[in-house]
Amino acid sequence: MEKPGNMIFAFLRWLALLPLNIVVDVLAFILAPVLPLFASKDGWLPKWLWWWQTPDNPLDGDAGFLAEHAPYKGTNLPWWKVHINRTFWQWRNPAMGFGMTVMSFTPQEPYIMRRLGGEKTITGDMSEGWYFVVVTNPDGKTAWQFFLVHWWTPTAFAKINIGWKLWSAPNVCQYVFAPTKLWRNLA
């Protein structure tokens, strides 16, 4: 059973990690053009640079990034275009390995998940809505996530995602601090 103090401690733990997260993210943006120089041909960084690696994808990015966001499309690109794409991928996913290891939360079965807000998970599509989720492990360790999408105009919206990415439960949940991001939908 979750104790009221667990939620307060979870928020204070997240808040205490925030300055470290900001420093590491700024460093990731600075290092992004250099990191691809250390990547293997297939886009993986060596273990000693794993804090900067996206654990679920090589530096070339996932299918969505390659189709929509990569500056250069196609296969058999010259090395410098691959390098630029990998730099953009790093800017899009700064220090993900760090957030998935050092600052992560791992749900332990049988964890308890409580949720307020939207009826559906609004992670992948950009449907307007919000939710707040709390996960508590049997030992009382607690994590939370607040996620909001708000459309300002038909072509611009804000997204807030803070806490831990609990939609990954029961897998490791990445620490997240994405307070407001504004995109323009040009389609």
Side-chain angles (χ1 to χ4, degrees), residues 115-120 129-132:
R115 179 186 175 128
L116 299 170
E119 293 293 318
K120 65 184 187 87
W130 68 275
Y131 65 85
F132 181 78

Side-chain angles (χ1 to χ4, degrees), residues 21-92:
N21 180 73
I22 291 169
V23 168
V24 171
D25 276 358
V26 167
L27 187 57
F29 276 90
I30 294 167
L31 292 175
V34 177
L35 290 169
L37 299 173
F38 295 94
S40 64
K41 187 175 182 170
D42 57 353
W44 295 95
L45 291 170
K47 289 293 179 192
W48 62 277
L49 289 174
W50 200 250
W51 282 359
W52 317 109
Q53 179 71 53
T54 48
D56 55 347
N57 287 289
L59 295 189
D60 297 315
D62 59 22
F65 172 78
L66 292 170
E68 297 177 36
H69 305 291
Y72 298 102
K73 312 288 190 253
T75 57
N76 298 322
L77 298 172
W79 71 269
W80 61 272
K81 287 184 177 182
V82 170
H83 184 90
I84 290 171
N85 281 354
R86 289 177 176 182
T87 299
F88 274 68
W89 176 253
Q90 289 286 58
W91 284 333
R92 188 168 188 250

Side-chain angles (χ1 to χ4, degrees), residues 79-126:
W79 71 269
W80 61 272
K81 287 184 177 182
V82 170
H83 184 90
I84 290 171
N85 281 354
R86 289 177 176 182
T87 299
F88 274 68
W89 176 253
Q90 289 286 58
W91 284 333
R92 188 168 188 250
N93 298 283
M96 187 175 175
F98 187 77
M100 292 286 291
T101 56
V102 176
M103 299 178 34
S104 65
F105 173 81
T106 304
Q108 304 292 322
E109 296 285 355
Y111 60 84
I112 298 168
M113 182 180 279
R114 292 184 186 86
R115 179 186 175 128
L116 299 170
E119 293 293 318
K120 65 184 187 87
T121 302
I122 54 174
T123 59
D125 64 16
M126 286 295 120

Side-chain angles (χ1 to χ4, degrees), residues 145-165:
Q145 179 182 16
F146 177 74
F147 187 83
L148 168 103
V149 173
H150 178 74
W151 284 89
W152 299 102
T153 71
T155 60
F157 63 92
K159 180 175 92 169
I160 298 171
N161 190 7
I162 56 175
W164 285 268
K165 293 182 179 178

